[in-house]
Structure formats: structure tokens, C-alpha cells
Amino acid sequence: MKKITKGIYYLEDLGTPSIISMYLIDSKKKVLIESGPSATVSQLIQAIVSAGFRPSEIDHIVVTHIHLDHAGGASLLLQAMPNADVLVSKKGAPHLIEPSRLRASAKSALGPIFEIWGGIEATNSSRIHTVEDGVSLDLGDHVLQFLSTPGHAPHHISILEESSRVLFTGDAVGIYYNDLDALIPASPPPSFDVELALQSLNRLSETNPQVLLTPHYGIQDNPSIFLKRNLETYARWKEIVNSNLEKGSDLDFIIEDLCQAYPSYRTLVNDVYRGTLFRMDIKGYLK
Ligand SMILES: [Zn+2]
């Protein structure tokens, strides 16, 4: 566990290989940002206990969107957190209540990654509350503001803590591998929209954040530089993919061009987990 600022903690990264970075807000009302995937629920509960909290103290689990690495564990986690509810966007909520379509589409998009993340079980609607763009939630010592940030997924939200200006980005920013200094868009099919993603990145910049807490992975303490790098990367991928599509070239050529533009990607491509996500994120651009 690492303290970011008053009452805001970076718990740890869940999974091996790392799937998602988890954050907790210790206010009068206690909040977990994301549930993480179902495969790592017991690891998460251990992390919460090691950080000095009881699972029964958690009041809200905010999920930025319903992809299985972010919300797949929600239903299981609620069993261990009898006083918690799940906060999710209006468009996301029905998929948590009735996840069969979400499960099927994740299975086909994720391939072997589906097994690593685990599936998703239905969440009782009585334990779900929806949040909308611009709505604030007073936690006692902190105030959360919800921002609609579509692009990665149409129903995606980010969360700004108003006094500290800590911004929980969710997947509105790309995946950053610190060990390689490599950034790739978080752009999975079927619903990634690059234009909306670029707009959302600009919107995040306009909130004037002090720190970004990202799911993949960890803390970004120079938000303007990181967001600018995201804008450039998302736009460059669009150029590279589109020029290959015009030539009629296939995925291997796109990968080669991306690796030429960003040499650190060569290591990614050969990693089983990261390489699978990398290829999936290229496919999100193929429309
Ligand atoms: Zn996602």
C-alpha cells in the first residue's frame, strides 16, 4: 500500500501478470475504485485487510466501466462487503445485473485472457446505483465528481476527487508499461471509438488534475505530459492503422509499422499476456 495524499491509497496491482492497479479512499464513507476481475477477488480482500481496513467498512465500489478486468469481480466482492453498493454508469448497470451477453462477448474478444481474468456473475439490482456525468458524491472528507469519458467504451466514466484533484482515469487513458516506458492505447473492439477517446483525453486535461491514478498501471504524477503523450499516441495509431488499411495490408504489417514508430513495442509483442492485449487493441482501431 502507498499513500497518494490524505485518505487516498494505492493498494497494489492484482494478478500475475499484473491485471489492474487498485485504489482505496478512506473517508467517512469508504470507496474502492473498481472491483478488479473475479480471479483476483481474494487477493484484493487480503490487500484491503493488510492495509488496515475491514471489507465490511467499504461503502461504495465505483466501477469506471463494465469490462471484466474492472467490474468482473463486483458480484463476488459484494458477498464479502455486506455494506457496499456498486456505482456504475446508467448504460453499464444492466450488464452487471444480467451479464450473459457481456460474458459471451468478452469470451470471444479476449480469448486466453478470459480465463486469466475470470468470468462475471450477476449482481443483484438492489446493490447497484447509477451515477451520471457531473454528479458529485460527498464522502464526508472527500467529494467525488463523475465525468463521462467515452471512447474506450461508450459508458465509461472517470472520477475526480475535488479537493486533491486526484483523477481516477479508468481506461480513458492508455496502458503504460513502466518497465519498457511503453504506452499503448486502451482500444479494444467492439466499441472503441478513437474520436471519442481523443475528446475524453482533452476533457481529462481540462479538469486540471494534480495526479492521475490509472488502472494499467499505477500513478502518473505529471498529468499534462502523460495526457499529451496519450493524445499523440492515440492519434498516431490512427494514422498508422488507416494508412495500412488503405494499402490493404494485414495485422502483421500494422504491428511492424507500430514497432518502427515505437521500438519499445517489440518486447510487448513477444509477451504472451501483453502481446495478446496489444493485438486486441489494434483490432479496436480496425473499423
Ligand atoms: Zn476496459
Side-chain angles (χ1 to χ4, degrees):
M1 181 183 72
K2 180 178 172 166
K3 185 178 176 181
I4 312 291
T5 180
K6 186 175 155 278
I8 302 183
Y9 298 95
Y10 177 7
L11 284 177
E12 64 183 46
D13 292 350
L14 302 178
T16 314
S18 285
I19 300 170
I20 187 168
S21 304
M22 294 295 303
Y23 306 98
L24 186 145
I25 305 172
D26 177 19
S27 204
K28 286 205 177 67
K29 296 280 183 188
K30 297 191 190 347
V31 174
L32 197 60
I33 304 294
E34 320 282 18
S35 70
S38 60
T40 54
V41 163
S42 56
Q43 187 193 346
L44 173 59
I45 290 169
Q46 275 175 22
I48 291 167
V49 171
S50 308
F53 300 96
R54 290 190 307 275
S56 61
E57 288 182 287
I58 304 296
D59 296 285
H60 305 293
I61 303 162
V62 183
V63 298
T64 57
H65 63 299
I66 55 160
H67 290 164
L68 299 195
D69 50 336
H70 292 254
S75 158
L76 279 174
L77 205 53
L78 285 175
Q79 292 174 23
M81 299 182 173
N83 301 309
D85 61 4
V86 175
L87 303 183
V88 61
S89 69
K90 212 176 223 169
K91 281 188 203 154
H95 298 281
L96 297 185
I97 296 163
E98 198 348 77
S100 55
R101 218 156 51 99
L102 171 63
R103 196 188 293 123
S105 105
K107 214 168 193 167
S108 84
L110 292 168
I113 304 270
F114 182 85
E115 302 302 329
I116 297 173
W117 290 357
I120 182 167
E121 298 304 320
T123 298
N124 193 308
S125 60
S126 66
R127 303 203 55 191
I128 294 180
H129 289 100
T130 58
V131 292
E132 285 176 70
D133 184 54
V135 165
S136 291
L137 177 66
D138 191 343
L139 304 176
D141 305 316
H142 301 79
V143 176
L144 300 184
Q145 192 187 333
F146 301 100
L147 307 165
S148 169
T149 47
H152 175 79
H155 62 281
H156 191 282
I157 56 168
S158 302
I159 305 129
L160 180 71
E161 199 291 302
E162 289 182 358
S163 60
S164 61
R165 306 211 76 73
V166 168
L167 179 62
F168 301 92
T169 61
D171 284 345
V173 300
I175 302 169
Y176 179 66
Y177 298 107
N178 193 41
D179 56 328
L180 303 172
D181 186 28
L183 175 71
I184 68 169
S187 51
S191 48
F192 174 67
D193 181 318
V194 65
E195 302 308 330
L196 288 176
L198 290 165
Q199 282 174 28
S200 291
L201 283 164
N202 280 314
R203 184 166 191 208
L204 293 185
S205 297
E206 286 158 13
T207 66
N208 189 27
Q210 288 299 301
V211 180
L212 306 180
L213 298 184
T214 77
H216 316 292
Y217 297 90
I219 306 161
Q220 289 292 339
D221 48 20
N222 200 329
S224 57
I225 289 180
F226 185 69
L227 290 169
K228 190 162 170 269
R229 183 170 169 187
N230 270 268
L231 283 162
E232 286 165 2
T233 305
Y234 276 65
R236 189 77 198 279
W237 273 50
K238 182 181 147 187
E239 282 169 24
I240 290 173
V241 170
N242 285 349
S243 76
N244 273 283
L245 288 179
E246 279 163 25
K247 287 185 282 186
S249 32
D250 66 10
L251 187 62
D252 288 339
F253 283 90
I254 299 173
I255 291 172
E256 181 51 33
D257 280 358
L258 287 170
C259 288
Q260 278 194 19
Y262 301 97
S264 60
Y265 290 173
R266 293 209 188 273
T267 314
L268 281 183
V269 177
N270 296 316
D271 180 284
V272 174
Y273 183 78
R274 294 173 172 188
T276 302
L277 290 178
F278 181 77
R279 285 175 179 81
M280 191 170 79
D281 287 324
I282 294 173
K283 286 178 190 154
Y285 271 86
L286 301 174
K287 281 192 214 128

